[in-house]
Amino acid sequence: MCERCQRPATHCLCSLIPALDSRTRVVVLQHPDESRHALNTARLAVLGLKNAQLHVGTEFDSALWQVEGYCPRLLFPGEAATVLTRDSAIEYACDPTLLVVPDGTWRHARQLLSHHPALAALPRVTLPVGTLTRYRIRHAEDASALSTIEAIALSLNALESTQNFDALLAPFDALIAAQIAAMGQERYLKHHVLREGSRARIQHEE
């Protein structure tokens, strides 16, 4: 196993992981169950960003997101959440954002906010409705649900419109392609492309 990307040595992704600078600081709060998942995209995201941290647990100190010189914002939907667009870079230009990203299931994320009122009280930002995922091998009730690495890349593209963070997705795309190759095209078609309501089917039909 590669100790850095935690993939089998024969499928190491390190050569594809960039080292991107960002004005925005990214802090990922990861549930322990997610840290053990074979497709741990949050880890890949943090490895690809110089100004990012990954913390695993269920209880967190508010000092993680209360950092001098940064304005903390929570990446999580809500009625008062600001939708991140390219104009966000202008709106937030005067104060670098510290973007707090919960990583886990929706249930895990809601539990996190319930246990941390100060975190739940942070100004919220969210991505536009209808943003399509590239995660073709994972099923979710909401076909537009994004992986953590996709959500981070899209958020940074909006917050820092003079830069582009698509390179962050290179190891993610390779990871998905390798998983599809390992399962075989026939199985992929049966369980993903042809499965009712699957993400791959929606993208295939479009």
Side-chain angles (χ1 to χ4, degrees):
M1 294 290 291
C2 172
E3 293 185 5
R4 183 167 180 254
C5 70
Q6 297 186 352
R7 300 296 300 166
T10 53
H11 293 83
C12 177
L13 298 171
C14 289
S15 64
L16 298 173
I17 298 174
L20 304 177
D21 284 312
S22 63
R23 189 166 179 259
T24 303
R25 174 174 291 191
V26 176
V27 174
V28 178
L29 305 181
Q30 186 177 70
H31 191 277
D33 288 353
E34 198 69 19
S35 69
R36 295 186 287 268
H37 198 286
L39 304 180
N40 188 342
T41 73
R43 179 176 176 81
L44 290 177
V46 171
L47 287 174
L49 295 168
K50 294 181 181 180
N51 195 10
Q53 299 175 339
L54 174 66
H55 300 275
V56 180
T58 57
E59 300 292 333
F60 300 99
D61 193 312
S62 61
L64 293 177
W65 57 83
Q66 298 293 349
V67 178
E68 186 176 356
Y70 287 93
C71 180
R73 294 181 171 90
L74 176 68
L75 183 61
F76 198 77
E79 291 184 3
T82 299
V83 178
L84 289 175
T85 66
R86 289 287 178 174
D87 292 335
S88 302
I90 299 173
E91 182 181 351
Y92 300 147
C94 60
D95 54 340
T97 291
L98 188 153
L99 189 68
V100 183
V101 184
D103 182 50
T105 64
W106 286 110
R107 180 174 62 85
H108 291 154
R110 293 187 183 99
Q111 288 175 346
L112 175 68
L113 300 188
S114 176
H115 294 161
H116 298 77
L119 179 62
L122 292 179
R124 297 190 185 188
V125 292
T126 189
L127 292 165
V129 175
T131 304
L132 292 180
T133 181
R134 295 151 79 156
Y135 213 159
R136 296 170 288 158
I137 58 172
R138 208 170 184 184
H139 303 288
E141 292 182 5
D142 183 355
S144 65
L146 300 170
S147 65
T148 300
I149 195 171
E150 290 176 296
I152 290 173
L154 290 169
S155 297
L156 290 175
N157 279 342
L159 288 166
E160 304 186 31
S161 60
T162 57
Q163 290 186 251
N164 187 288
F165 293 86
D166 289 349
L168 200 61
L169 299 174
F172 171 69
D173 289 338
L175 177 63
I176 300 305
Q179 292 292 117
I180 292 174
M183 74 175 68
Q185 193 65 18
E186 183 177 345
R187 184 179 178 187
Y188 172 64
L189 288 172
K190 179 180 179 180
H191 293 284
H192 296 278
V193 176
L194 300 180
R195 175 172 168 168
E196 187 68 33
S198 75
R199 297 169 175 181
R201 178 170 182 164
I202 292 171
Q203 294 177 12
H204 179 75
E205 291 175 348
E206 289 182 347

